[in-house]
Amino acid sequence: MTQDSLTFLGTGTSYGIPQIACRCSVCNSDDPRNTRSRCSAVLKAQGQNLLIDVTPDFRSQALREQLVHVDGVFITHVHADHVFGLDDLRPLNLNRDVPTPVFADAESCIQLRTIFSYIFCTEERRPGIPWLVLREIKAGQSFQLGGASFMPFSVEHGRWPCFGLRYKDFAYITDAKRIPRRSQAVLSGLKRLCLDLLRDEPHPTHMSRAESLAAVQELGGPETWFIHMGHEVDHTPFERALPENCHLAYDGLKIEVNP
Ligand SMILES: [Zn+2]
Ligand SMILES: [Zn+2]
Ligand SMILES: [Zn+2]
């Protein structure tokens, strides 16, 4: 059986790093790990490729990683930086005889039907249109893809709900300010984690370094890779100051999720 893994397609915050027209040192850095496309990942679970979010950078991310197959898509929330690459899934499902499921909560399904009405107005296959179907998920109720089982849970992204995903002893949490207690219960015994860390300064809808590190502690100190970083985060010095079990993810990094 192939090893379960996660490939970081993108690790940057909503504007992407470098930010357009920014003259800061991180946006003009020579370190390739300071170039961060919008936040997304491919979770390979029991041979199934589950794409987590589809960013406006999806086309270049898929070309870079030579991604040729997606079995399902998980949408964490409907912000532009997490869904606006959906149309670029078109070439990935041309040879399938079933549509690709897009797993999202009820509110996200409504928003996706509005934004991408030409995709989701029918479940029939049509030329020139990605063949995708919405599959509604609920926090605390597992869903299946092939033989793999995933547990979605909700986190607070300011006033917006956002969904995290647990697979075995691994969890992926992007765009979070707080992990509510009911979701912390779903996360017991976690060994590996990906978690939002925007920057040092507090922010109304994302975790700061102090908040992210506190959340890792509360979850029992799993080995953690931080994601959704802003241009305040300079990879090498920032990572050097992190505890031993914490790392900064970067675009193209691949990790084992259940070693
Ligand atoms: Zn985001
Ligand atoms: Zn900058
Ligand atoms: Zn967001």
Side-chain angles (χ1 to χ4, degrees):
M1 201 180 73
T2 48
Q3 186 72 45
D4 294 337
S5 66
L6 182 117
T7 302
F8 294 95
L9 295 184
T11 56
T13 192
S14 55
Y15 47 77
I17 322 296
Q19 184 177 25
I20 293 172
C22 185
R23 294 176 186 274
C24 85
S25 62
V26 172
C27 288
N28 292 278
S29 160
D30 291 333
D31 185 345
R33 292 168 304 178
N34 278 334
T35 295
R36 304 181 183 115
S37 59
R38 266 62 74 86
C39 215
S40 167
V42 178
L43 176 54
K44 196 175 197 66
Q46 285 163 257
Q48 300 286 308
N49 274 349
L50 180 67
L51 175 64
I52 304 177
D53 291 329
V54 199
T55 82
D57 298 319
F58 177 71
R59 179 177 172 277
S60 54
Q61 293 169 337
L63 289 170
R64 188 192 72 215
E65 297 302 327
Q66 302 182 335
L67 185 64
V68 294
H69 190 79
V70 166
D71 297 288
V73 181
F74 178 73
I75 300 295
T76 61
H77 66 308
V78 182
H79 276 169
D81 56 322
H82 295 263
V83 299
F84 274 18
L86 214 61
D87 193 76
D88 285 327
L89 286 169
R90 247 185 305 166
L92 283 176
N93 46 26
L94 285 180
N95 297 319
R96 292 169 64 110
D97 44 18
V98 287
T100 305
V102 176
F103 301 97
D105 77 299
E107 185 58 36
S108 295
C109 286
I110 292 170
Q111 292 162 356
L112 289 169
R113 280 199 180 91
T114 305
I115 301 167
F116 295 101
S117 58
Y118 68 99
I119 296 178
F120 295 116
C121 59
T122 170
E123 295 198 357
E124 277 169 34
R125 179 175 220 158
R126 287 161 300 151
I129 306 223
W131 196 22
L132 307 171
V133 287
L134 288 169
R135 293 283 177 260
E136 198 176 306
I137 52 113
K138 278 196 174 79
Q141 290 185 10
S142 64
F143 68 90
Q144 317 288 321
L145 184 64
S149 178
F150 304 91
M151 177 61 81
F153 55 90
S154 62
V155 295
E156 293 169 13
H157 179 27
R159 288 189 301 112
W160 283 80
C162 177
F163 284 74
L165 193 67
R166 178 171 186 156
Y167 169 65
K168 295 185 179 172
D169 291 335
F170 167 79
Y172 183 96
I173 303 173
T174 188
D175 294 52
K177 176 69 177 173
R178 215 176 68 86
I179 303 167
R181 201 151 292 281
R182 64 180 181 280
S183 295
Q184 287 186 16
V186 173
L187 294 169
S188 66
L190 217 55
K191 292 200 177 78
R192 295 200 154 188
L193 171 68
C194 296
L195 181 64
D196 185 4
L197 191 169
L198 183 67
R199 61 189 189 193
D200 274 328
E201 280 287 296
H203 184 277
T205 64
H206 291 277
M207 289 186 185
S208 65
R209 172 175 7 202
E211 289 165 332
S212 302
L213 290 176
V216 171
Q217 280 276 318
E218 267 198 80
L219 294 172
E223 186 159 17
T224 301
W225 285 262
F226 293 118
I227 53 175
H228 215 286
M229 283 88 67
H231 62 164
E232 300 87 348
V233 175
D234 188 357
H235 188 96
T236 300
F238 199 99
E239 188 172 51
R240 205 179 288 137
L242 292 175
E244 226 169 76
N245 61 325
C246 294
H247 322 272
L248 291 185
Y250 53 87
D251 289 23
L253 174 67
K254 185 175 174 179
I255 60 169
E256 285 181 27
V257 295
N258 290 294

